[in-house]
């Protein structure tokens, strides 16, 4: 069974010939985003101090000491974003010390995917951004220095941007399951994204009330295990 990109992502407008220039630019800027982040990583080797604090939790957990910052104080933690510790934890469980390189590697590809989601917003029939405006937005996401600096220094910044763009797109595209996943990830990405999830929920309540239950249920399946754990 063939699974298309549209089936997996829910993207619309990919087959429209009028969108070919935007899609081509998205491909080029995605490659540029990857190369720029790899160059920054290789050239600077920068690791932000907050990353060292956060990843210490995943290293302690992988070492059997618990998801904690201070071994002697098991309930003390120093991370804000669950994703900022869960992503490196996946690598530290394989080998303690691989957490920081892994979150940087994830940020490399999240930078490219962020460009793709800006493209998806730009070509969706409900938005239809002009090609110059779409290229400017994609270029900003691909090259803007804060996303490169913090993301490639081990922070969750690039993942947060991607997840927020996903939520924007799926709200525009009226894809309740995809939106539920994105909003669940929003809550794992940043606690202050709770404001955005409320805004999205109010919009659904007013404009798409039949979608609300599906979105909330899926979002809880994504965020619920962390909420129960904490």
């Amino acid at each position: 069974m063939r699974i298309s990109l549209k089936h997996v992502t829910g993207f619309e407008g990919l087959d429209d010939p009028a969108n070919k220039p935007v899609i081509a630019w998205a491909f080029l800027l995605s490659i540029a985003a990857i190369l720029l982040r790899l160059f920054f990583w290789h050239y600077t080797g920068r690791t932000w101090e907050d990353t060292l604090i956060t990843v210490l939790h995943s290293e302690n957990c992988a070492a059997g000491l618990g998801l904690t910052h201070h071994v002697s104080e098991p309930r003390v933690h120093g991370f804000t974003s669950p994703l900022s510790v869960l992503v490196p934890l996946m690598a530290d469980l394989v080998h303690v010390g691989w957490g920081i390189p892994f979150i940087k590697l994830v940020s490399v590809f999240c930078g490219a995917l962020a460009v793709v989601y800006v493209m998806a917003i730009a070509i969706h029939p409900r938005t239809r951004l002009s090609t110059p405006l779409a290229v400017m937005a994609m270029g900003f996401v691909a090259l803007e220095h804060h996303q490169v600096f913090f993301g490639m220094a081990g922070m969750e910044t690039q993942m947060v941007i991607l997840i927020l763009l996903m939520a924007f797109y799926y709200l525009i595209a009226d894809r309740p399951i995809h939106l539920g996943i994105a909003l669940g990830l929003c809550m794992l990405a940043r606690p202050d994204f709770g404001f955005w999830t409320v805004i999205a929920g109010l919009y659904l309540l007013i404009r798409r009330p039949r979608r609300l239950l599906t979105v909330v249920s899926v979002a809880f399946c994504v965020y619920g295990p962390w909420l129960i754990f904490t």
Side-chain angles (χ1 to χ4, degrees):
M1 180 179 178
R2 184 180 177 182
I3 300 177
S4 66
L5 179 64
K6 180 178 178 180
H7 178 77
V8 174
T9 63
F11 290 169
E12 298 182 34
L14 293 174
D15 299 327
D16 189 338
N19 293 327
K20 285 185 177 180
V22 177
I23 295 171
W25 273 105
F27 176 77
L28 293 174
L29 287 169
S30 295
I31 298 299
I34 290 173
L35 294 177
L36 176 61
R37 283 156 177 78
L38 289 174
F39 174 77
F40 182 91
W41 187 0
H42 171 74
Y43 185 76
T44 68
R46 178 86 185 213
T47 300
W48 195 246
E49 59 183 9
D50 288 356
T51 303
L52 298 173
I53 296 170
T54 300
V55 172
L56 184 57
H57 298 79
S58 67
E59 292 179 351
N60 284 339
C61 183
L65 302 173
L67 194 64
T68 180
H69 186 206
H70 302 286
V71 177
S72 61
E73 301 176 7
R75 296 188 181 277
V76 175
H77 65 83
F79 58 89
T80 303
S81 165
L83 279 186
S84 67
V85 71
L86 291 175
V87 171
L89 179 60
M90 290 187 286
D92 281 324
L93 288 173
V94 177
H95 185 277
V96 176
W98 285 1
I100 291 178
F102 183 67
I103 195 172
K104 290 182 179 182
L105 183 63
V106 170
S107 292
V108 170
F109 293 103
C110 283
L113 284 173
V115 174
V116 171
Y117 271 91
V118 173
M119 175 210 72
I121 293 171
I123 67 174
H124 193 274
R126 292 182 178 174
T127 48
R128 288 285 189 181
L129 299 183
S130 66
T131 298
L133 182 57
V135 172
M136 183 180 70
M138 291 187 294
F140 178 83
V141 171
L143 308 175
E144 197 270 327
H145 70 285
H146 287 99
Q147 297 175 65
V148 178
F149 178 87
F150 289 108
M152 297 315 303
M155 299 294 288
E156 75 276 6
T157 307
Q158 193 66 72
M159 294 186 292
V160 168
I161 295 298
L162 170 60
I163 291 167
L164 191 59
L165 288 169
M166 290 171 60
F168 286 166
Y169 176 77
Y170 292 125
L171 188 63
I172 293 169
D174 193 23
R175 297 270 180 168
I177 294 177
H178 292 76
L179 179 59
I181 294 171
L183 291 179
L185 290 173
C186 277
M187 295 304 300
L188 289 173
R190 297 291 305 177
D192 47 326
F193 277 9
F195 292 108
W196 161 241
T197 59
V198 170
I199 292 170
L202 288 174
Y203 170 83
L204 291 171
L205 181 63
I206 295 170
R207 299 295 300 272
R208 299 284 191 275
R210 294 182 180 180
R211 306 289 201 192
L212 186 59
L213 180 59
T214 300
V215 172
V216 171
S217 299
V218 174
F220 184 78
C221 288
V222 175
Y223 182 57
W226 176 261
L227 189 64
I228 293 168
F229 168 73
T230 53

